[in-house]
Amino acid sequence: MKLKTFQEIVELNSFNVKTGYHCESSAIMNALRFQGVELGENMITGMGSAPAFFFNAEDAFSFLGARSYTMLENFCASTGINAESASPKTGQEAYDMAKEILKAGIPVVLRVNMRYLPYLHGGKYGDKYSSFGWHFVCLVKIDEQQGVAWVTDTAYKELQMVKLHDLAKARNSKEGMFKTENFLYFFKNPSLINIDYKAAFFKSLKMLLENYEKMDGGLIALEKLPDNIRNIEKGRNIFILKPLFYTFYGYIEEFGTGGSAFRNFLKDYFIEMSERLVIRDLEKTARIVETSCAAWTALALEFKYMSEAFEGLKKGKEERTMMYENAAKKAHSLFIAEKYIYESVKSIYSKLNLSY
């Protein structure tokens, strides 16, 4: 993708990278930190009511989603911090807009397709299976003379360099289930907002409960998950199961979730808020979430084992059925654990509601 440039260098001076565990919350954390707002990922994902659950059993290569698509919107609604977003139609427009925001001294959060970030794949593009258009980085510097940009990215301790045309390709990718759509956003004067933590917490609980109550996800989808696992071969070629089960494992434990499908973040959010707001019931809720964390990890490890067991397709039908049943039992235990979270959060929300 060719971009019109003017041999300019635009950068945010004295930008210090802070590592994270999830791509978007770490990008938000780094952007806000540069602008004078110190919030960790637990607070960002918590006030963003991130934990959720989605699973479309009908898709041949099903996506197991563990966090809300509206984390940014939820975070802004809870805190009062304002984010401005845009999805420019062309790569050039997208580049020019990001550059102008950067010129104003403001970090820019970009949605990108991971496949086209060579620093993630040993200096080249990833294969088609690495295509994921809902990854986030924070743009910090553009050097048009060298034709490169520098971004923060989750666990990397230093800024990562990427060619401008690769970044443009990553932002404008049309591949996969999740489209990047040149989406960007930035925060306007966030340091001027005095966050009311009690009000923000109350709002975040309301939106978290809504995640659990969704008709196309949440507890309803979690309750169906055991049967979805038992019937995983229906309409699928057996050869797809090895990578499918590994991605299930990754969606829960490895692919920027903070571990245990974002529930580790939730547990620590409740612990932090318990101390900040002096709500002792939150310590009990954190322990309930901790039980769910263990259940998520147990299911993830079962998926990983199943993926490895399909190596060479040595498992027969009877053995496969037994594996599915074992995983289904773990999924049922997970549903029970998540239901306890919902009931505990609902109780706390009701008590807080009486004080408003």
Side-chain angles (χ1 to χ4, degrees):
M1 182 179 295
K2 291 185 178 181
L3 295 171
K4 184 179 180 181
T5 61
F6 297 91
Q7 300 298 301
E8 293 181 291
I9 298 175
V10 184
E11 66 179 305
L12 303 176
N13 294 319
S14 303
F15 192 101
N16 295 313
V17 177
K18 188 169 184 176
T19 59
Y21 295 97
H22 169 239
C23 63
E24 186 170 12
S25 57
S26 65
I28 291 172
M29 175 177 65
N30 275 284
L32 289 176
R33 194 164 178 255
F34 182 79
Q35 293 178 275
V37 178
E38 289 283 349
L39 284 175
E41 282 186 285
N42 299 328
M43 284 291 184
I44 292 168
T45 56
M47 288 191 283
S49 307
F53 182 73
F54 304 92
F55 186 79
N56 189 348
E58 305 303 317
D59 291 342
F61 204 90
S62 296
F63 175 71
L64 191 157
R67 74 100 161 168
S68 169
Y69 301 133
T70 58
M71 187 182 78
L72 172 66
E73 292 83 352
N74 295 348
F75 172 77
C76 291
S78 294
T79 61
I81 291 173
N82 179 42
E84 292 199 8
S85 62
S87 291
K89 293 182 179 179
T90 69
Q92 186 66 54
E93 290 174 358
Y95 174 76
D96 292 343
M97 182 176 290
K99 179 181 172 181
E100 287 305 308
I101 297 167
L102 204 63
K103 275 187 171 182
I106 300 173
V108 193
V109 179
L110 307 176
R111 192 164 76 205
V112 291
N113 190 313
M114 297 176 73
R115 182 181 182 184
Y116 299 109
L117 299 177
Y119 63 80
L120 293 175
H121 310 285
K124 56 185 179 181
Y125 291 161
D127 62 37
K128 63 180 181 180
Y129 295 110
S130 67
S131 183
F132 181 71
W134 209 270
H135 188 64
F136 290 84
V137 297
C138 181
L139 180 65
V140 173
K141 179 179 178 180
I142 290 171
D143 185 336
E144 294 179 339
Q145 296 175 14
Q146 294 186 52
V148 296
W150 280 266
V151 298
T152 72
D153 195 337
T154 321
Y156 285 97
K157 295 180 181 179
E158 298 177 350
L159 294 174
Q160 296 302 297
M161 186 176 71
V162 56
K163 293 179 181 177
L164 291 179
H165 69 264
D166 286 340
L167 186 59
K169 191 175 181 67
R171 295 182 63 196
N172 198 41
S173 170
K174 304 293 192 296
E175 294 178 22
M177 181 188 307
F178 300 105
K179 307 294 189 294
T180 52
E181 298 176 328
N182 287 313
F183 182 72
L184 63 80
Y185 61 87
F186 62 97
F187 298 101
K188 290 196 69 176
N189 301 314
S191 62
L192 299 181
I193 300 299
N194 185 20
I195 299 173
D196 182 335
Y197 281 89
K198 184 176 181 181
F201 182 63
F202 182 71
K203 291 175 184 176
S204 74
L205 291 189
K206 182 177 185 295
M207 291 182 285
L208 180 61
L209 289 172
E210 290 170 354
N211 290 349
Y212 277 98
E213 293 165 354
K214 287 184 181 296
M215 297 304 294
D216 60 346
L219 287 175
I220 291 176
L222 271 167
E223 189 172 18
K224 294 176 181 176
L225 185 60
D227 282 339
N228 289 333
I229 294 170
R230 291 185 181 101
N231 298 310
I232 198 73
E233 292 187 16
K234 185 177 180 181
R236 289 183 177 87
N237 189 312
I238 192 173
F239 290 95
I240 206 173
L241 294 177
K242 177 179 169 60
L244 183 64
F245 284 129
Y246 186 80
T247 57
F248 287 173
Y249 160 74
Y251 291 146
I252 296 170
E253 205 66 27
E254 292 287 346
F255 301 161
T257 69
S260 298
F262 289 84
R263 272 58 176 181
N264 283 335
F265 288 134
L266 184 63
K267 176 193 68 177
D268 292 337
Y269 175 58
F270 286 151
I271 291 172
E272 287 190 30
M273 280 304 194
S274 172
E275 295 170 354
R276 180 180 285 272
L277 303 178
V278 194
I279 302 175
R280 296 307 174 201
D281 283 353
L282 284 178
E283 295 176 0
K284 298 176 183 176
T285 304
R287 289 195 292 271
I288 291 171
V289 177
E290 190 170 23
T291 299
S292 178
C293 290
W296 275 108
T297 296
L299 180 59
L301 292 175
E302 190 70 21
F303 285 144
K304 185 180 182 184
Y305 161 74
M306 292 162 74
S307 173
E308 293 167 350
F310 271 90
E311 186 69 44
L313 298 177
K314 297 174 183 177
K315 295 289 181 182
K317 177 66 175 177
E318 186 175 337
E319 292 170 300
R320 297 200 308 273
T321 300
M322 188 177 296
M323 285 196 305
Y324 304 151
E325 185 59 34
N326 288 338
K329 288 177 180 177
K330 286 183 170 60
H332 178 70
S333 296
L334 172 62
F335 165 69
I336 299 300
E338 287 286 294
K339 193 174 180 181
Y340 281 138
I341 293 177
Y342 171 73
E343 291 169 350
S344 182
V345 170
K346 193 171 184 178
S347 174
I348 292 169
Y349 177 76
S350 297
K351 290 177 184 177
L352 286 175
N353 198 27
L354 294 175
S355 66
Y356 279 92

